[in-house]
Amino acid sequence: MHNCPTVPHHDRYEPDASPEQAAQAFYDVMRRRRSVRMFSDKPVSKETLEAIIKTAGSAPSGANKQPWRFVCVQDPAVKRQIREGAEAEERAFYNGRANEQWLKDLAPLGTDENKAFLETVPWLIVVFRLTRGDDGGQVYYSNESVGLACGMLLAAAQHAGLATLTHTPSPMNFLNSILDRPSNERPYLLIPVGYPSDDCVVPAAAVERKPIEDVMRVR
Ligand code: IYR
């Protein structure tokens, strides 16, 4: 590094346990995460959402441009509009837009165009990717940056005992008009956040993960 102002990095996070124990403990939390489509209407405080979004916003990003906006929706009328917009796109998807193979691959998940949970859940976080900064300036690696932020958001919600779904009605531009977002903001992901309903079930097929031998290579 040369010619740039620096600050000391003294505030290092040290877990109480060894790296082995701490890594295992975090895995024990994260492996219990499921994509949930049956939500309770039990409220979640705005304070909780703020902490989760601050965590997401602490993600690394290209040139630290932080090219994201997290629009948090709790207004029932707005949630209804979003449900209606999403269901319209999903109807088109399930009735022709998706090819046969795609529908075949989705069959084990049992999903369909009914997205009632978008109204039941206390919060919808609509994540937008900025194609230009708020000042009109360039952003870099915005897809990667927003993806990282969303991963951290999901982990933060799980850590707080909350359930999430990564929902991607496609195309998602209806979200710009409903939420009155400018054209430099592209909808990226729709993340319902809340508690699972008492009768919540998840598809058995979505529980399994590839064994470590299949996903890791050591050289
Ligand atoms: N967006 C649709 C379809 C869908 C697509 C994929 I890829 C999934 O992993 C799950 C669903 C829906 O939400 O029903």
Side-chain angles (χ1 to χ4, degrees):
M1 286 210 297
H2 62 114
N3 254 354
C4 94
T6 58
V7 290
H9 179 42
H10 283 150
D11 181 24
R12 300 194 196 151
Y13 169 64
E14 288 182 32
D16 294 331
S18 68
E20 290 81 1
Q21 289 166 326
Q24 181 64 42
F26 191 61
Y27 170 55
D28 287 341
V29 175
M30 290 310 300
R31 71 175 173 184
R32 295 170 68 176
R33 183 188 172 278
R34 298 285 170 258
S35 286
V36 160
R37 294 179 179 83
M38 298 169 73
F39 284 94
S40 145
D41 61 1
K42 183 175 164 183
V44 172
S45 70
K46 181 162 160 269
E47 185 190 359
T48 311
L49 266 276
E50 279 174 358
I52 288 171
I53 283 167
K54 282 194 272 184
T55 302
S58 74
S61 63
N64 194 28
K65 295 290 182 182
Q66 305 168 54
W68 41 62
R69 184 97 57 226
F70 302 93
V71 180
C72 299
V73 179
Q74 60 174 348
D75 181 333
V78 183
K79 285 194 292 183
R80 170 165 299 213
Q81 277 184 289
I82 291 175
R83 174 191 177 177
E84 285 167 0
E87 286 184 336
E89 297 301 349
E90 298 292 19
R91 265 193 301 277
F93 174 85
Y94 285 100
N95 296 300
R97 204 181 277 153
N99 66 25
E100 217 173 299
Q101 183 60 49
W102 195 343
L103 294 177
K104 224 166 146 181
D105 283 337
L106 286 180
L109 301 183
T111 53
D112 60 26
E113 61 265 40
N114 176 18
K115 304 297 175 191
F117 59 81
L118 293 174
E119 281 192 75
T120 318
V121 73
W123 290 99
L124 297 176
I125 304 179
V126 186
V127 184
F128 288 85
R129 175 178 71 86
L130 273 59
T131 56
R132 286 268 163 189
D134 291 324
D135 58 359
Q138 288 193 68
V139 297
Y140 310 94
Y141 298 101
S142 63
N143 266 306
E144 291 84 347
S145 303
V146 181
L148 289 164
C150 287
M152 290 175 60
L153 191 160
L154 299 184
Q158 173 68 9
H159 187 253
L162 297 170
T164 50
L165 175 70
T166 51
H167 182 41
T168 52
S170 174
M172 289 200 277
N173 30 14
F174 68 91
L175 292 164
N176 278 75
S177 36
I178 294 174
L179 299 171
D180 204 16
R181 303 315 305 164
S183 62
N184 68 319
E185 296 187 16
R186 301 278 160 82
Y188 185 85
L189 203 52
L190 178 45
I191 308 180
V193 181
Y195 293 94
S197 64
D198 288 339
D199 62 349
C200 178
V201 292
V202 297
V207 172
E208 284 309 311
R209 291 295 185 267
K210 292 178 182 177
I212 186 71
E213 295 77 21
D214 286 9
V215 296
M216 184 178 185
R217 293 284 181 277
V218 180
R219 296 285 302 267

